[in-house]
Amino acid sequence: MGPSITAYLVLAAALFTTGAVGVLVRRSPLIILLSLRSC
Amino acid sequence: MGDVLVWTVWGAAAFACLGSGIAVVTFRNPFFSALALIGNLGALAVLFLLLSAEFVAAAQVLIYAGAVMVMFLFVIAYLGGSATEPPTRVSSWQGFAAAAAGTALLVEILLAIGLKGGGRLADEADVAQSFGSPAGIGRLFLTDHLLAFEITSIVLLVAAIGGVILGSHSRAARRASRTATGGGPQTPDDSWSGPSGTVPAGLPEEASAQ
């Protein structure tokens, strides 16, 4: 019956990681805000 | 058959979500980053639909992908190249606040992991059938959470007024600096202290003859 809650949690963790990397690595304040929103 | 279809849609949405998220972080141009974020929010809306959260999916598209991202694009167009410049000066209290917020988030995550490991987060919630439906959310807004709902609307109104005031201040400051650089001293206190016999930029030539 479709993906389990674990699949959603793994996807959420990967998304959070990309957003956190953007916040930590990028220096432009606008990109930081966009990265925060993509978390 | 239905299972395969759900998995296919989920895989496509997850791939789009991750790809657009990486694009948001890696693009150099903030305009393209904002466009990638719109794709990210659209893919998230599909995932919400798969979770039977129709209201959240609609709100995701209408509010975030629509209103908020349009505002972001306006800000990018308004600021132009200065939108990508890092701040030149960061005060010490900002560093302290960032460290405190990071520490609080770390403690919260460690607490959640610890509670989960100890089996204290294993209680199943009693979720009603109408939970998450537009009718259920609307009823909660106007009954149990009416005060919070109205306070939020006031906060948004204050933010809108603050944005207008800040924008008008910065416009006035820009106009004043443009006048000062292009039109010379504006007040009697703006005395010229350059070498004698020279005329500062913007002053009429008769000033040197006096």
Side-chain angles (χ1 to χ4, degrees):
Chain A
M1 290 300 291
S4 64
I5 194 71
T6 309
Y8 282 98
L9 285 177
V10 170
L11 178 63
L15 266 180
F16 179 80
T17 306
T18 55
V21 167
V23 171
L24 293 173
V25 170
R26 299 302 298 265
R27 288 179 57 80
S28 162
L30 203 54
I31 301 283
I32 290 175
L33 284 176
L34 291 172
S35 302
L36 267 180
R37 187 60 200 89
S38 74
C39 276
Chain B
M1 181 62 188
D3 201 21
V4 174
L5 184 64
V6 170
W7 269 105
T8 306
V9 173
W10 186 87
F15 181 76
C17 208
L18 268 181
S20 54
I22 292 172
V24 169
V25 175
T26 52
F27 276 152
R28 287 191 165 276
N29 191 331
F31 184 79
F32 292 129
S33 288
L35 290 182
L37 186 53
I38 292 177
N40 182 270
L41 297 172
L44 271 182
V46 173
L47 292 174
F48 282 129
L49 276 181
L50 289 177
L51 286 169
S52 302
E54 295 88 2
F55 181 83
V56 184
Q60 185 85 8
V61 172
L62 292 175
I63 298 174
Y64 286 110
V68 174
M69 291 316 299
V70 167
M71 187 200 68
F72 260 104
L73 292 176
F74 269 125
V75 168
I76 292 169
Y78 183 72
L79 293 178
S82 62
T84 56
E85 293 172 2
T88 53
R89 186 172 55 86
V90 178
S91 58
S92 58
W93 70 267
Q94 282 177 314
F96 176 76
T103 306
L105 186 62
L106 179 65
V107 169
E108 183 183 356
I109 292 173
L110 289 178
L111 271 177
I113 291 174
L115 288 174
K116 177 69 176 170
R120 296 173 65 181
L121 287 181
D123 297 337
E124 288 189 9
D126 184 21
V127 180
Q129 190 67 29
S130 64
F131 181 80
S133 67
I137 291 176
R139 195 174 299 112
L140 282 176
F141 271 155
L142 297 175
T143 53
D144 293 356
H145 304 290
L146 181 61
L147 182 62
F149 184 58
E150 293 301 329
I151 289 175
T152 305
S153 65
I154 292 172
V155 168
L156 288 175
L157 180 65
V158 170
I161 294 172
V164 171
I165 291 174
L166 288 175
S168 63
H169 272 260
S170 65
R171 272 199 302 274
R174 261 203 314 277
R175 202 177 302 128
S177 74
R178 201 180 308 131
T179 309
T181 54
Q186 298 299 304
T187 63
D189 295 334
D190 291 332
S191 56
W192 168 247
S193 58
S196 59
T198 61
V199 182
L203 272 185
E205 286 298 324
E206 302 87 60
S208 61
Q210 293 173 355

